[in-house]
Amino acid sequence: MPNEEELFAAVDALLAGEPEMPPPAERARLREAAGITQARLAQALQTTTQSVKNWESGRSEPRPPRRQAYQRLLNGWAAQYDTQPQAAPAAPATFTAAAPSPSPREPAPDLEPPAPTNGAQPSSSSRRPAKQRATKKPVAPTTAVDPRFENGPLAVIDCEDGQVSAYCVGGLVLDVPAKSIPALVEWTLKEARLGQARLHRNGKDADPVVVLMPSALERYGLPAALSEEERRAGRLAAGHKVIKQLERADWQLTQRGFGPWARIFRPAEGSKRNCVQLCIPAWNALDVREWDNRDNPLLPTMGAAELARFLGTYATRVMTPRGTTAVTGLELMVALHPPTMAVKDEATGEWRGAPAPGALTDVYEHVPCEVPDGHPVLKGKYARFHQRTPAEMLMEEPYDWCRPLTDEECMKRFVVGIDVNMAFAAAANRLTVGLGGPTHVTNPAFDPKLPGSWLVDLSHVEIDPRLPSPFTPKGTRPEGPAWYATPTVAYAVELGYPVQPIEAYVRYESGAYLDTWYTRLRDAYMETMADLGVVSGMEEQAFLEAMARSKSVDPEMALVLKAIKATAKGGIGKLRERPRNTPLFEPWPALSRKEWRPDIRAAVLATTRVNMHRKMMKVAAAAGLYPVAIGTDCIVYPSDGPSPLDFLPRTPDGKPLPGGFRLGVSPGMVKHEGTQTTLWAEEQHEQHGPAINIARIIKNGGQAADNEE
């Protein structure tokens, strides 16, 4: 039984509480008055720039000990600049939105001039923590928060004790009055204030995503799992009662039907879209290979609030998920470079769609050497069961190379794998790719600035046999003419060898299409790594130690990181999406996309391979070190010690070798992938022969690593 003194102390603690923070807009005003950037403030408080943005927009609140430090700083600024905390002016009732662009994937708004759109009224059924409710103020017009989407890009719907709740980003919880799926869609569009502002002025706002927990499935009459037949079809049976409810309410579904990622819409009203996307994890919407840990799944253990944080963080940093990470990666390209833009006809005053500069704006004729087997353009071109050769097919793929260790290398105790961070995304940075259609030319002079596919003989290029050839994925020397993307041929020229293409398919209209895509993913990756305790500029040993701890620091953020990496890798893969359940030589749906561009994928993969080879050449020249295996973006070297620091060469003053592999968090730098003994490597070669690639199993000693980049 507590005594009176203990009870009084507890009550006094409640009365004291935490010091009241200034309103979010006032925090931003004080910082700007001091002339401090959000990045500088984040550095001082040892947090991320996004966290500061969230504090200044009212999306989240700082936690101890940063809360006390932040409060002290704000009080100091307030005293220094003679300001008092005050409520920010209310957000304007209207705003101007850019004219949207049509898209063939889903219902699109009609093109019309930019028009004011009334902000939605706040929902009367919101529940916020008391502290957040006290500090939540109207957002000033200069802040980054769009009043239409003030509750974030998505919500997770859960049902407990008969109460249906929507868990949003930042800890916000909304009461959901909807008693059916059609009513839930109506509520989402009219009251929930969910969605995400467009990433490009010519694009369109992201539709809100509603994630249904198992309890919500039961509440709204949906099965806990799809039947075997429905699972194969990828959708709910057409006669299900929920689908009938939607039809009676005049809601429509896309051709994919009511599946794990269902899109429910009505025709757009001018520039206003009427579309909601449902995500159903219980139906495998969040595939464990992309969104979770295969060996120790975390998502099934997450509650609604944790799932909202996980998906909301991904949506905020990358974009609102549109399905698989690969689909989202491709959609991110489109969102950052919309194919059309609204232009005003000066003669009529009407608005119409026009191709947008710097974007992929049309579907062009596909080039036979660039397409995968089974493509319609190959019909009747080769005999049945013919295996196309490098002279008939562009084979720009990641490295899959391994060689036996030499006697000298066997004397070293370890083999150590290093992994290139975000290798495909890094290769896309500043890469010039074709935007227009192909032009066929014969006997052309090679131009390294001209993207395309070139038929050229590179078999005369001499490479040290301890290094893989940079011209083939298997690392073998070319045997004659073969098709290559521009970066591969340009590297042969860089090595000092003459090249004379026999023919080529070149694209004269070109640009750095993937630059903004890379930047968006790089920033998302770096911010998430910072959440896991790994930041740029760390001393190398400290970086290795931080990386070893990173997955246990915050398991949810570790999953966000995995999803970001899968988005980068999957987005590049989608540029040459292969057919599924489509007869040979019959067109498949992906071929109708402007973004079905196998030539761009080939250029990225070629650049990835060339970048790695260039660094391997630097290391070999400086230290006489040669890799023994490469698997995609993992390079394995023999070493006297178990750490990358034991073999990576350095300059005489102790700095990392210029142009070589450098340890660090940034895309293109490397991290420690795994270490095994040299005896283990020799045993793998003895047991499996040439079929084994130790780079693919070095991380966990014999089993293929999870699908990470």
Side-chain angles (χ1 to χ4, degrees):
M1 176 76 70
N3 58 37
E4 182 178 291
E5 184 177 349
E6 291 173 338
L7 290 173
F8 276 25
V11 170
D12 288 343
L14 289 176
L15 289 172
E18 293 183 357
E20 185 70 16
M21 297 285 291
E26 178 67 10
R27 304 169 196 175
R29 191 172 70 81
L30 288 170
R31 176 184 54 76
E32 292 168 357
I36 302 298
T37 65
Q38 290 177 328
R40 178 69 184 87
L41 176 56
Q43 183 180 14
L45 295 177
Q46 298 184 27
T47 186
T48 65
T49 305
Q50 185 61 48
S51 294
V52 174
K53 292 179 180 178
N54 291 342
W55 299 343
E56 293 185 353
S57 65
R59 297 292 294 277
S60 66
E61 290 294 312
R63 297 178 180 178
R66 290 189 179 91
R67 181 182 178 88
Q68 290 84 347
Y70 189 30
Q71 175 76 62
R72 181 177 181 182
L73 180 61
L74 292 173
N75 290 342
W77 281 340
Q80 183 176 355
Y81 298 102
D82 193 25
T83 60
Q84 295 297 324
Q86 53 185 296
T94 61
F95 63 94
T96 302
S101 57
S103 169
R105 290 174 183 71
E106 54 193 79
D110 298 330
L111 280 167
E112 60 178 40
T117 305
N118 291 330
Q121 295 299 315
S123 171
S124 60
S125 55
S126 64
R127 300 200 310 274
R128 304 171 189 263
K131 192 177 301 178
Q132 184 173 356
R133 183 170 60 248
T135 60
K136 186 76 174 180
K137 300 292 183 182
V139 179
T142 56
T143 62
V145 175
D146 190 319
R148 300 170 299 163
F149 312 129
E150 70 168 0
N151 293 333
L154 55 83
V156 179
I157 308 298
D158 200 7
C159 182
E160 185 176 359
D161 298 328
Q163 172 64 50
V164 183
S165 302
Y167 291 79
C168 305
V169 179
L172 173 67
V173 183
L174 304 175
D175 293 328
V176 182
K179 298 185 182 340
S180 66
I181 290 293
L184 178 63
V185 174
E186 294 272 7
W187 173 84
T188 301
L189 292 172
K190 294 181 178 179
E191 296 187 55
R193 287 194 176 188
L194 296 172
Q196 191 174 45
R198 64 197 69 190
L199 298 179
H200 189 281
R201 62 185 300 269
N202 295 328
K204 59 180 181 293
D205 300 326
D207 299 318
V209 170
V210 174
V211 184
L212 300 181
M213 296 291 282
S215 61
L217 295 179
E218 181 181 359
R219 173 67 177 80
Y220 291 120
L222 291 167
L226 295 176
S227 67
E228 183 64 26
E229 183 178 350
E230 290 171 334
R231 189 184 59 80
R232 286 195 300 266
R235 68 191 73 182
L236 204 60
H240 194 276
K241 64 178 182 180
V242 171
I243 296 180
K244 292 181 178 179
Q245 290 173 359
L246 290 169
E247 291 172 349
R248 286 195 297 269
D250 294 327
W251 288 104
Q252 302 177 38
L253 294 165
T254 60
Q255 291 183 351
R256 293 192 174 186
F258 202 116
W261 289 92
R263 300 190 70 80
I264 304 172
F265 68 96
R266 284 177 182 154
E269 301 171 2
S271 62
K272 181 183 178 183
R273 292 170 56 81
N274 295 306
C275 187
V276 172
Q277 182 162 342
L278 299 186
C279 169
I280 306 178
W283 297 1
N284 199 35
L286 304 174
D287 193 297
V288 68
R289 294 169 295 180
E290 304 171 345
W291 299 97
D292 206 350
N293 298 318
R294 183 182 300 174
D295 298 330
N296 184 26
L298 182 61
L299 290 182
T301 68
M302 284 188 188
E306 292 81 9
L307 190 57
R309 175 179 182 247
F310 166 55
L311 292 177
T313 302
Y314 175 89
T316 302
R317 296 178 181 178
V318 181
M319 71 176 297
T320 304
R322 302 290 297 274
T324 65
T325 53
V327 168
T328 305
L330 188 69
E331 290 293 340
L332 181 62
M333 297 179 195
V334 180
L336 294 169
H337 276 295
T340 59
M341 59 186 295
V343 297
K344 190 174 184 179
D345 190 320
E346 296 299 333
T348 64
E350 295 181 351
W351 291 80
R352 59 180 177 81
L360 303 178
T361 59
D362 206 349
V363 178
Y364 296 100
E365 179 182 0
H366 297 150
V367 176
C369 70
E370 295 175 350
V371 301
D373 293 335
H375 192 282
V377 302
L378 301 178
K379 187 174 184 178
K381 192 173 181 64
Y382 301 106
R384 192 178 184 185
F385 305 122
H386 173 76
Q387 295 292 319
R388 286 193 290 168
T389 67
E392 298 166 335
M393 180 181 181
L394 181 66
M395 296 183 179
E396 297 284 18
E397 300 293 337
Y399 266 129
D400 184 8
W401 171 82
C402 189
R403 66 170 176 83
L405 279 70
T406 64
D407 291 343
E408 182 181 354
E409 290 167 344
C410 285
M411 299 301 293
K412 297 182 181 293
R413 293 181 59 195
F414 300 99
V415 286
V416 181
I418 52 176
D419 181 81
V420 181
N421 301 326
M422 297 278 283
F424 295 157
N429 185 30
R430 294 181 291 184
L431 176 65
T432 301
V433 299
L435 300 179
T439 299
H440 183 244
V441 291
T442 56
N443 299 315
F446 176 69
D447 184 352
K449 297 181 180 179
L450 192 59
S453 301
W454 309 77
L455 181 62
V456 59
D457 190 349
L458 299 179
S459 60
H460 60 288
V461 180
E462 292 286 347
I463 300 292
D464 189 300
R466 289 169 292 183
L467 286 172
S469 168
F471 309 126
T472 63
K474 291 293 184 180
T476 56
R477 185 170 180 168
E479 298 179 353
W483 286 100
Y484 302 101
T486 296
T488 302
V489 185
Y491 187 56
V493 175
E494 179 185 323
L495 293 175
Y497 291 89
V499 298
Q500 179 51 59
I502 301 168
E503 61 176 309
Y505 289 90
V506 297
R507 291 165 172 85
Y508 293 107
E509 183 186 352
S510 61
Y513 176 72
L514 295 173
D515 263 15
T516 52
W517 180 82
Y518 160 77
T519 301
R520 180 82 174 177
L521 290 172
R522 177 204 62 194
D523 292 349
Y525 171 81
M526 294 293 287
E527 189 170 352
T528 307
M529 288 301 299
D531 287 340
L532 296 174
V534 188
V535 297
S536 59
M538 299 181 78
E539 187 271 332
E540 290 177 315
Q541 183 60 41
F543 165 74
L544 292 174
E545 293 171 358
M547 284 298 302
R549 296 189 302 266
S550 61
K551 285 193 175 181
S552 60
V553 169
D554 188 334
E556 290 176 21
M557 286 300 103
L559 291 189
V560 173
L561 181 72
K562 178 178 180 178
I564 292 169
K565 295 193 290 186
T567 302
K569 179 179 287 188
I572 296 299
K574 274 286 183 178
L575 293 169
R576 197 192 69 167
E577 183 177 351
R578 291 177 176 270
R580 297 178 183 177
N581 303 319
T582 301
L584 282 176
F585 308 119
E586 292 296 324
W588 57 93
L591 300 184
S592 62
R593 290 196 312 243
K594 301 177 183 67
E595 303 79 36
W596 196 84
R597 291 294 299 271
D599 57 299
I600 296 180
R601 172 188 178 273
V604 172
L605 268 57
T607 302
T608 304
R609 204 175 60 244
V610 164
N611 287 348
M612 293 171 63
H613 196 276
R614 186 181 290 113
K615 293 178 180 181
M616 288 186 285
M617 292 276 284
K618 289 280 187 181
V619 170
L625 290 174
Y626 297 86
V628 296
I630 310 173
T632 305
D633 47 16
C634 175
I635 310 101
V636 178
Y637 278 94
S639 173
D640 290 319
S643 167
L645 292 175
D646 294 319
F647 72 87
L648 287 177
R650 312 185 78 79
T651 61
D653 58 356
K655 295 182 179 180
L657 178 70
F661 296 107
R662 297 189 61 178
L663 289 168
V665 68
S666 298
M669 299 178 79
V670 300
K671 62 179 180 292
H672 184 205
E673 179 69 2
T675 297
Q676 298 291 340
T677 64
T678 303
L679 178 61
W680 171 87
E682 286 295 282
E683 289 175 347
Q684 300 303 313
H685 284 294
E686 290 178 5
Q687 293 176 12
H688 304 286
I692 192 66
N693 184 345
I694 61 173
R696 299 199 178 280
I697 58 175
I698 193 170
K699 186 172 184 177
N700 48 4
Q703 296 182 2
D706 207 350
N707 186 28
E708 296 186 27
E709 187 181 5

